[in-house]
């Protein structure tokens, strides 16, 4: 069975906007993304049959769930990292130069533009050897990093509209420009300098794909979690970072 993604035709238009307008747009768009991430990480709602999440796997302290969002699914992983501070985790997870060490499908990750200290535009590119869900795809995304009043760290990531993305970085002929929709990290500080990590991803791969590839994104999440856990635990960081 095949799933037809409801993506528009390849974008041939591009919008050139000022950096100030881009900054305002990203701040506005990222507000709802941050709220969605915080809602997904709310431990008081985990297991509530009314919240729409269906647990796929629960093993070794790692929960992976999914929830239908229109024609797509949103996937969520949650896991406890003992003796790892939120700052330590985010430092490793946000080091895009080293991202290929925990995501083997990733070919290139680079900053296109820094709008502010906590706000960046990034290009992610996946190559021919990547798994089918990501093969020859690229994403032009914003990344916004915020610290909540209780110390919770939130990293909101989502694709820019295709016209804006095309104005910032023209699409490569050999790549499909796919979309990340309201994805990112929530890292909550616990006692003993440990943290609870929630990772949410909603992906529109743009194009025809076997339904099983879309619905088995959870296997990729397991790989990311294990690789990230190893990276974080191998890179101790002083508490004042």
């Amino acid at each position: 069975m095949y799933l037809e993604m409801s993506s528009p035709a390849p974008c041939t238009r591009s919008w050139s906007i000022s950096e100030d307008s881009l900054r305002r747009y990203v701040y506005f768009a990222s507000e709802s993304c941050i709220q969605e991430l915080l809602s997904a990480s709310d431990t008081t709602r985990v297991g509530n049959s009314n919240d729409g999440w269906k647990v796929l796997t629960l093993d070794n302290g790692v929960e992976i769930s999914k929830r239908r969002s229109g024609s797509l699914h949103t996937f969520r992983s949650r896991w406890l990292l003992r003796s790892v501070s939120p700052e330590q985790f985010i430092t490793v997870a946000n080091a895009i130069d080293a991202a290929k060490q925990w995501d083997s499908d990733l070919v290139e990750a680079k900053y296109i533009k820094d709008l502010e200290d906590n706000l960046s535009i990034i290009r992610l590119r996946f190559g021919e050897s990547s798994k089918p869900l990501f093969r020859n795809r690229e994403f032009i995304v914003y990344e916004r990093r915020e610290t909540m009043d209780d110390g919770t760290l939130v990293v909101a990531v989502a694709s820019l509209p295709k016209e804006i993305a095309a104005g910032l970085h023209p699409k490569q002929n050999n790549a499909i420009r796919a979309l990340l929709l309201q994805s990112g990290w929530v890292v909550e500080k616990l006692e003993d300098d440990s943290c609870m990590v929630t990772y949410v991803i909603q992906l529109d791969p743009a194009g025809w794909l076997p339904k099983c590839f879309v619905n088995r994104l959870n296997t990729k999440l397991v790989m990311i979690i294990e690789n990230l856990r190893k990276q974080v635990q191998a890179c101790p960081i002083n508490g004042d970072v």
Side-chain angles (χ1 to χ4, degrees), residues 113-132:
K113 185 184 291 288
D114 287 324
L115 298 174
E116 289 187 0
D117 289 343
N118 70 332
L119 193 64
S120 303
I121 307 300
I122 300 172
R123 180 190 181 221
L124 305 173
R125 184 168 66 88
F126 299 82
E128 175 62 35
S129 61
S130 301
K131 294 179 178 62

Side-chain angles (χ1 to χ4, degrees), residues 158-201:
S159 290
L160 294 173
K162 289 190 175 183
E163 293 84 357
I164 294 178
L168 292 171
H169 195 288
K171 189 182 79 68
Q172 304 301 303
N173 291 332
N174 63 343
I176 298 170
R177 185 154 286 179
L179 297 174
L180 280 178
L181 309 172
Q182 296 195 333
S183 304
W185 306 93
V186 177
V187 188
E188 304 165 72
K189 183 176 179 60
L190 304 177
E191 295 180 355
D192 301 324
D193 212 26
S194 298
C195 64
M196 176 66 73
V197 178
T198 301
Y199 178 48
V200 176
I201 180 170

